[in-house]
Amino acid sequence: MLTEIDVFVAMFANTRGLQKVLNPLWNAPWDEKDPSMWSVIAHANHAIRLRSVGADVREFEAPIGEGGKSADIQFRTKGQDYLLDLEAWHAVSGDTPEAIHKNGMTRAERKAAKKFATLPAGTVGWVYEICIVNDDEELERIGSNQHILSPFKLSETEGCFGALFLICGISNADGDVYKYVLANADTPLPPLRPRSGR
């Protein structure tokens, strides 16, 4: 995790708003109610992904509209402007993968209505729900239904889309998490520990 953050800082050292992204690392990285470390990791991962496919990442915590609202990442690619908001979902809920997807869509709709009710002309809004998954059983259940991570159009906010991502904890044979992977519908999920070791 820290290696990726180091890469992120070096890559975007001159990008406006970087310090705002990093501030939670000093303020409350593992706050019990809202462990903002995950938000920083999500920022870093997605910004690096965007740069790797040629997108122009223009600003972090970019002001939008009125009332102090901001988008986590403002970027441009292939002649199109985008605003992206990342929301960490710490307590993923749903008895089935379909229910998780539905609940994730509801969260994305709510976030888009709050942040992107009025988008600048020609700008597309995206909301990513970052699902924190540390349990092997839960990861296996979602992994076998990875289609629920596919992007979707938001129906209540014009010009906006959403998607679910997983932050997966990778465990060793002793069950200790030693690595995290951020995955979407197209990302091969990491191998799970053998059931005998869970």
Side-chain angles (χ1 to χ4, degrees):
M1 291 189 296
L2 296 179
T3 298
E4 186 167 52
I5 291 175
D6 286 342
V7 171
F8 170 62
V9 171
M11 188 177 289
F12 297 100
N14 297 317
T15 303
R16 189 163 46 188
L18 176 65
Q19 190 60 49
K20 293 179 182 179
V21 176
L22 299 176
N23 280 341
L25 296 180
W26 285 271
N27 297 338
W30 295 114
D31 183 275
E32 184 177 350
K33 295 182 179 179
D34 182 17
S36 51
M37 179 73 172
W38 295 122
S39 178
V40 178
I41 292 169
H43 265 87
N45 184 281
H46 285 288
I48 293 169
R49 285 182 184 221
L50 287 168
R51 176 68 65 83
S52 72
V53 296
D56 177 17
V57 176
R58 297 185 165 183
E59 186 172 359
F60 300 110
E61 303 297 337
I64 52 174
E66 301 177 354
K69 295 178 182 177
S70 64
D72 290 330
I73 303 177
Q74 180 187 41
F75 67 98
R76 182 176 178 84
T77 184
K78 298 179 180 178
Q80 176 66 58
D81 291 316
Y82 295 90
L83 293 172
L84 169 62
D85 216 70
L86 307 164
E87 182 173 51
W89 190 5
H90 301 292
V92 176
S93 61
D95 295 332
T96 65
E98 290 71 24
I100 292 172
H101 183 253
K102 182 178 179 181
N103 291 340
M105 288 181 67
T106 298
R107 287 174 59 91
E109 290 277 14
R110 188 164 56 239
K111 174 65 77 169
K114 179 180 178 181
K115 286 290 188 82
F116 300 144
T118 54
L119 286 169
T123 299
V124 174
W126 276 90
V127 175
Y128 288 171
E129 290 293 330
I130 312 298
C131 310
I132 315 299
V133 178
N134 283 315
D135 180 82
D136 280 345
E137 301 294 338
E138 186 73 6
L139 177 56
E140 184 174 45
R141 186 162 68 105
I142 296 176
S144 61
N145 294 272
Q146 207 168 343
H147 63 277
I148 71 170
L149 306 179
S150 298
F152 46 85
K153 191 176 189 306
L154 298 179
S155 60
E156 297 180 15
T157 308
E158 186 176 353
C160 290
F161 298 83
L164 274 60
F165 280 75
L166 295 181
I167 288 184
C168 317
I170 313 304
S171 303
N172 60 23
D174 296 323
D176 299 319
V177 175
Y178 68 93
K179 179 181 178 182
Y180 289 89
V181 174
L182 199 146
N184 63 9
D186 302 318
T187 307
L189 291 178
L192 299 171
R193 289 180 296 141
R195 285 187 172 274
S196 59
R198 299 185 198 174

